Amino acid sequence: VLIVEGFFGDAGGYLFHLWSAPLDGSGPPVRLDPVSAGPAGRFVHGDPGHIPVAVTPDGTSVVFATPDGLLRAAMDGSDVAELIVSMDDLGGDFPSLYFTPDAERVLYARGGLFEVPLSGARPPLRIDTPSPFGGPGRFVLPLADSRGVLFTARQEGNGTQLFLGLLERAVRP
């Protein structure tokens, strides 16, 4: 079970801790977001309507956004959360997160559509090529074979349209 503990921070804004607990109650909850010695800590950021957290399809790992970037942790708390995308590579806002069905890549929407290996082995690649016709894409559905993603994008004069982004054609932003 994934538990999100939310509170209003001293400096304003909502902050969240991320916990995991076995459904059968066989063990205590384990905190997944890293504990920091600094006054601000490294909390999961978001708002009550959008908390940037995603669990792999097999339930073994969780990815979440902090001020440092995207972190990955084992769902059972057996390893220390590790950075897979720095905030410098990610950009300003906290993204919407998705996984490919094979759980090898994290997909995220933040001013465009991007993918990065769950291992963090390379920087993010852009799936939706920037278009002169309209805004960035938004995820609809990762393909079952993990080779691409269907997404919508608003095209000026044409409304919202459906596109296919192939992950093998993703480019460095």
Side-chain angles (χ1 to χ4, degrees):
V1 173
L2 197 60
I3 303 165
V4 179
E5 170 193 25
F7 55 95
F8 197 73
D10 292 340
Y14 288 95
L15 303 174
F16 301 90
H17 287 304
L18 192 59
W19 299 80
S20 176
L23 256 178
D24 63 6
S26 60
V30 176
R31 185 169 162 190
L32 301 177
D33 57 303
V35 179
S36 171
R42 285 185 171 84
F43 302 108
V44 176
H45 280 230
D47 63 59
H50 175 74
I51 300 168
V53 174
V55 178
T56 56
D58 64 5
T60 60
S61 293
V62 61
V63 170
F64 51 93
T66 73
D68 295 328
L70 293 183
L71 280 77
R72 184 198 63 78
M75 190 70 161
D76 63 5
S78 62
D79 65 1
V80 176
E82 62 183 346
L83 187 70
I84 59 171
V85 180
S86 74
M87 190 51 72
D88 292 338
D89 285 335
L90 188 61
D93 290 337
F94 296 102
S96 297
L97 302 173
Y98 308 86
F99 279 100
T100 54
D102 63 10
E104 291 183 12
R105 291 175 276 199
V106 179
L107 308 171
Y108 65 90
R110 201 223 57 78
L113 303 178
F114 300 87
E115 66 94 1
V116 66
L118 183 59
S119 67
R122 66 162 165 71
L125 297 177
R126 186 150 187 184
I127 299 168
D128 65 331
T129 306
S131 168
F133 304 110
R138 301 203 180 276
F139 286 116
V140 174
L141 180 68
L143 300 181
D145 64 6
S146 297
R147 294 180 350 149
V149 61
L150 293 173
F151 64 92
T152 59
R154 180 142 179 83
Q155 300 290 300
E156 195 172 308
N158 293 321
T160 300
Q161 297 182 357
L162 184 65
F163 296 90
L164 170 63
L166 298 176
L167 298 181
E168 69 230 19
R169 294 189 184 166
V171 296
R172 180 77 197 232

